[in-house]
Amino acid sequence: MNYYTYIHMYNQSISHFIIIFSVYSFRNIWFYSKIKEIRWLAIGSIMKSIQKERRSTMIITIARESGSGGYTVGAMLAKHYSIPIYDRDSLSGLAREQGIYDTMPMFFDELPAQGFLLALSMGASVKQINKPTAEAMMKLIGHQDCVIIGRCGNHIFRNRKDCVSIFTHGDKEARIAYKMKHWNFSRKEAEDIVFHSDQNRKDYHKFHTGENWGEAKYYDLCIDTIRLGHENAAKLVIQYISTVLA
């Protein structure tokens, strides 16, 4: 072979290599672009599912017997939906930040019935006390997604179509044992706390709403968290929400 023949063969080889490389590269680019496309479609689908789930869980209110683990269930739900949870302390703090705490400290601190009787004896009417508290709660919460522990939430937010109200309860002896185990209370201390907490919440709710605390017709779900367990109770609420607010 002469010099020109080698040059011709070399040029042909380079051309074939370029063609093969181009086809291979094109296939790789197409393959990886498809993977990227599928990945973003999957992410988009997941995000839509999350957004749909979040939209269907605007506000969860939890009233609870002492020692039934209502706050624990609420914390599980808040974590599941990635939404805040508000209890007495956090709501009181929020009220202080917005400058409305001092106008109704008895409501935010869930003072015993004696405090309400004192307010009445000083000339305050039930209407004067109840209407501002409901308006204050609505202002504090607004339209955000959240879990609210206590504070007559089931009554105040009842007209919201995206509200799910829950009441947690259970065997009294088991609730006393729960307090003893998790808070290191003596038997007598746990008994007193369960009794007085339940009585106070009952009177507090009756005073602010005129309704019977814990009566099933005022809640979407009444759950025996002692028998069912906290985790299963949270799962039950999630299933309920996915059905009624889908």
Side-chain angles (χ1 to χ4, degrees), residues 66-133:
S66 181
S68 66
Y71 183 90
T72 301
V73 174
M76 290 177 178
L77 294 171
K79 182 178 180 180
H80 175 81
Y81 292 112
S82 298
I83 58 178
I85 180 170
Y86 295 112
D87 59 2
R88 181 178 65 183
D89 293 337
S90 53
L91 280 173
S92 294
L94 199 59
R96 285 190 175 92
E97 289 176 8
Q98 296 192 18
I100 62 175
Y101 173 85
D102 291 335
T103 63
M104 52 195 72
M106 290 187 299
F107 175 78
F108 289 109
D109 283 341
E110 199 177 85
L111 294 182
Q114 290 87 340
F116 302 131
L117 294 176
L118 177 62
L120 292 174
S121 69
M122 295 175 66
S125 69
V126 173
K127 184 177 181 181
Q128 285 175 320
I129 295 173
N130 292 351
K131 186 178 179 181
T133 55

